[in-house]
Amino acid sequence: MMIRKLQSGPFAERARRSAREIALAVVLTLAAIVFLVAAIHGHAPETASISPPQSGVENSSN
C-alpha cells in the first residue's frame, strides 16, 4: 500500500517533472559543450586572417 501511495499523488508528479527538467538540463549542457568544442576546433582560415594584396596587381584607375 505504501508503494502505491508514493507512485500517485503530488510527490510522484513532482518527481516526474523534476526528472524531465534534469534530463532537459543535461541535454542542453551537452549541446553547449559540443557547440563550444566545435567552435574552438573549427577555425575557419578564410575568416581568421586577411590575405595581403598581391604585389603585381595594382589599381591605376585614379
Side-chain angles (χ1 to χ4, degrees):
M1 282 254 211
M2 185 73 159
I3 294 174
R4 282 191 179 183
K5 198 172 197 178
L6 290 176
Q7 289 179 347
S8 64
F11 176 76
E13 183 60 33
R14 277 183 282 158
R16 281 192 290 272
R17 189 178 321 127
S18 180
R20 285 190 297 252
E21 290 173 358
I22 290 170
L24 180 62
V26 168
V27 168
L28 290 175
T29 302
L30 290 176
I33 290 170
V34 168
F35 178 77
L36 288 175
V37 168
I40 290 170
H41 289 297
H43 295 297
E46 64 271 2
T47 60
S49 63
I50 299 172
S51 61
Q54 295 178 355
S55 61
V57 179
E58 291 185 19
N59 189 357
S60 60
S61 63
N62 291 337

